[in-house]
Amino acid sequence: MKFESLSLCEPLLRGLQQAGYDEATPIQQKAIPQVLQGRDLVGCAQTGTGKTAAFALPTLQLLMAPVAEPTGASRRRQRSGRRAIRSLILSPTRELAGQIAESLATYGRFTGLRHAVIYGGVRQGPQVRVLDAGIDILVATPGRLLDLIGQGFVDLAAVEILILDEADQMLDMGFIHDLRKIVAHVPSRRQTLMFSATMPPAIRKLAGQWLSRPFEVQVTPIASTPERVSQTVHFVQRQDKAATLTRFLNETRRSKTLVFSRTKRGADKIARCLQRDGIRAVAIHGDKSQAKRDAVIREFGSKRPPVLVATDLAARGLDFTDVSHVINYDLPDTPEVYVHRIGRTARAGASGQAVSFCDSDERRQLRMIEKLTGQAVPVEKLPALADNLRSPAVTSETGLKDTRKKGAAEGGRQRPAKHRARHNSQSSRAGSSNSSTGSRRRRAAKASRSRPKERSGVAD
DNA sequence: AAAAAAC
């Protein structure tokens, strides 16, 4: 179905056309008419299927529509002589907020509507100036928004449409307190939209209090993964993960590669290991300055992108083009995160590979992932790490070709012997060795860091 | 227990 048949107005169609978009995805086909009718909505669809446009397009259109009878909002706008914020879009990360704002700029180019994006880590002055100039749509992360509300720079009293992107995360424990405070500033008579690829039942139930008679769009079973991601799991001992990663990267034909770490310290460490092994790599996580984060994201989008090692900061929503491999160096503790992580590849119809390292302490996480996605993750052994008596590598069930270069282990870069993998065919069984050096080093590193404590009053 | 998110 084409965008033309969704009764979108001419300026939006022009914006879409100029951006090269023509066909509406299933989530867009189903959500847009409902949003245009003013209904609350919960939209669940697989990663990379255009959820942002599914809320951005109808929101822009609703805000453009001339109002016959002046509403409170438009009266307020007339009286003050400037625009009021009529739609608020909340995002769990700064980078995703920025990306949503970019989409609004693209689709809304010919609408005459204005938007702004606000988040922490950058000077607030420029943000305040844009707010003062008057905007129709505000994209924000919770912390900075509350900060600016508190300082009296943001008035949400005219908000007509509230949108939670990555809604299940916004409603989860880390964000729910801030979210409640924010929603208290938004009129209760409003339209509320929630979008995510995952929506755990408990969270969905919680969401009910902010929704009235919501229309539910479920394009595919909740938490289903894109068919075009071929998934495999490698059983590996924890102490062999770094060597395994280096070898995998050296022996795999790949384009952009994203490696996920469970911790910030781990992300730094993995990036350092890769650099030491001669692989260009950069890390991104919440302890880096925003300037650094921006630079890293830019680099990853460049012609010669380094391997990006990230925390779950980059798990959701970010639309990197041409990611061929997502590697779960650590398995996430919540299975939903797995679905989002591997969704950074195989976007907009492309294909991709997701490779997960699973050590003996991560079997439970793997089981949870398989339960959530309703499919077993095929086990694959890395030939380079197994002894030479082992049978050849299993080809994934999707029939995708094994792209590893044969014999690359011998020809490729080798790390010093002490780092070399000690793997044999037994290594896929649960290992019992538990390295205490790792945790000791971690504690030492923690002690030497002298960062200010978490903000007060939110200790759990 | 960790990550994200304000100064």
Side-chain angles (χ1 to χ4, degrees):
Chain A
M1 189 192 266
K2 306 229 179 281
F3 281 115
E4 274 94 354
S5 44
L6 281 169
S7 63
L8 291 173
C9 61
E10 204 276 328
L12 286 176
L13 291 175
R14 207 161 16 128
L16 285 165
Q17 193 193 9
Q18 202 171 81
Y21 298 114
D22 185 31
E23 290 279 338
T25 64
I27 179 79
Q28 292 160 0
Q29 291 169 31
K30 292 186 182 159
I32 289 172
Q34 298 299 328
V35 178
L36 287 177
Q37 280 176 30
R39 281 198 76 166
D40 281 7
L41 182 139
V42 178
C44 292
Q46 289 160 297
T47 52
T49 57
K51 286 186 287 291
T52 305
F55 63 74
L57 290 169
T59 296
L60 287 162
Q61 175 142 333
L62 285 171
L63 297 191
M64 272 185 78
V67 266
E69 201 72 19
T71 64
S74 60
R75 246 201 315 277
R76 185 172 304 108
R77 179 176 155 183
Q78 282 161 9
R79 203 164 44 219
S80 67
R82 72 178 184 86
R83 295 154 193 258
I85 298 167
R86 296 169 61 201
S87 178
L88 172 65
I89 304 173
L90 295 173
S91 152
T93 64
R94 299 166 184 174
E95 284 74 14
L96 181 55
Q99 187 181 289
I100 294 165
E102 278 176 34
S103 295
L104 288 172
T106 303
Y107 307 140
R109 179 158 179 200
F110 303 106
T111 61
L113 294 167
R114 291 190 211 162
H115 69 270
V117 57
I118 63 174
Y119 49 69
V122 293
R123 283 164 43 217
Q124 79 165 37
Q127 295 178 349
V128 170
R129 279 194 288 281
V130 179
L131 288 166
D132 269 345
I135 52 160
D136 304 285
I137 304 173
L138 179 61
V139 187
T141 52
R144 177 60 65 89
L145 176 58
L146 280 171
D147 191 354
L148 295 188
I149 291 173
Q151 296 177 62
F153 291 124
V154 180
D155 180 5
L156 299 180
V159 168
E160 299 160 39
I161 308 170
L162 171 68
I163 301 166
L164 305 186
D165 199 8
E166 305 300 343
D168 56 332
Q169 191 184 6
M170 300 304 293
L171 295 165
D172 205 355
M173 292 187 304
F175 282 106
I176 189 71
H177 300 301
D178 282 353
L179 190 69
R180 281 187 201 283
K181 284 185 221 157
I182 292 166
V183 175
H185 293 270
V186 177
S188 48
R189 249 187 79 105
R190 60 159 191 267
Q191 189 176 0
T192 305
L193 315 176
M194 302 189 183
F195 283 84
S196 182
T198 54
M199 188 62 75
I203 301 279
R204 171 63 189 83
K205 207 175 149 206
L206 184 71
Q209 64 182 291
W210 284 290
L211 298 161
S212 65
R213 296 190 320 104
F215 187 84
E216 306 220 10
V217 181
Q218 227 176 87
V219 167
T220 40
I222 290 185
S224 81
T225 53
E227 300 82 3
R228 305 192 61 112
V229 185
S230 90
Q231 301 169 58
T232 54
V233 60
H234 300 281
F235 292 112
V236 58
Q237 293 184 38
R238 183 173 304 172
Q239 66 268 24
D240 291 335
K241 280 188 173 184
T244 306
L245 178 63
T246 290
R247 290 188 167 211
F248 180 85
L249 295 177
N250 277 334
E251 295 162 18
T252 303
R253 183 175 313 150
R254 56 194 173 81
S255 50
K256 260 181 228 170
T257 303
L258 186 48
V259 177
F260 280 104
S261 159
R262 203 174 54 84
T263 65
K264 293 179 274 199
R265 241 41 70 202
D268 282 331
K269 202 169 129 192
I270 294 162
R272 274 199 310 273
C273 280
L274 292 177
Q275 287 159 5
R276 189 193 56 201
D277 291 344
I279 296 171
R280 288 172 55 243
V282 290
I284 189 167
H285 55 66
D287 279 353
K288 301 246 184 210
S289 72
Q290 193 54 41
K292 184 73 185 164
R293 283 162 62 164
D294 292 343
V296 164
I297 295 284
R298 248 198 324 278
E299 255 190 294
F300 196 55
S302 73
K303 282 228 170 65
R304 277 186 69 241
V307 170
L308 179 58
V309 187
T311 57
D312 287 325
L313 162 63
R316 286 176 177 254
L318 300 187
D319 194 19
F320 303 121
T321 53
D322 193 32
V323 171
S324 66
H325 288 79
V326 169
I327 295 168
N328 291 306
Y329 189 94
D330 304 306
L331 286 180
D333 292 323
T334 46
E336 285 79 14
V337 172
Y338 174 86
V339 172
H340 289 276
R341 282 181 177 184
I342 71 169
R344 294 320 97 211
T345 185
R347 298 184 72 77
S351 66
Q353 303 215 352
V355 177
S356 298
F357 293 172
C358 179
D359 68 33
S360 52
D361 295 331
E362 294 174 311
R363 300 299 180 105
R364 200 183 61 88
Q365 282 105 299
L366 181 60
R367 277 200 304 278
M368 301 284 283
I369 287 163
E370 293 182 326
K371 192 177 161 202
L372 177 71
T373 60
Q375 51 184 308
V377 184
V379 179
E380 189 170 357
K381 289 182 183 175
L382 285 171
L385 290 171
D387 67 27
N388 43 16
L389 295 174
R390 224 195 19 62
S391 56
V394 179
T395 308
S396 73
E397 285 176 354
T398 55
L400 290 176
K401 229 178 42 219
D402 182 0
T403 53
R404 282 173 308 233
K405 282 179 254 164
K406 303 272 181 298
E410 289 72 35
R413 251 181 239 100
Q414 291 265 326
R415 300 172 51 206
K418 65 167 180 157
H419 294 303
R420 216 170 281 158
R422 296 161 285 258
H423 243 78
N424 57 34
S425 55
Q426 255 110 73
S427 65
S428 62
R429 261 186 257 137
S432 58
S433 65
N434 219 339
S435 155
S436 62
T437 35
S439 53
R440 213 181 304 133
R441 211 178 298 129
R442 261 194 309 283
R443 277 195 300 276
K446 204 168 190 175
S448 74
R449 264 185 300 126
S450 58
R451 285 190 302 118
K453 270 289 168 208
E454 301 273 321
R455 60 187 208 266
S456 57
V458 288
D460 278 354

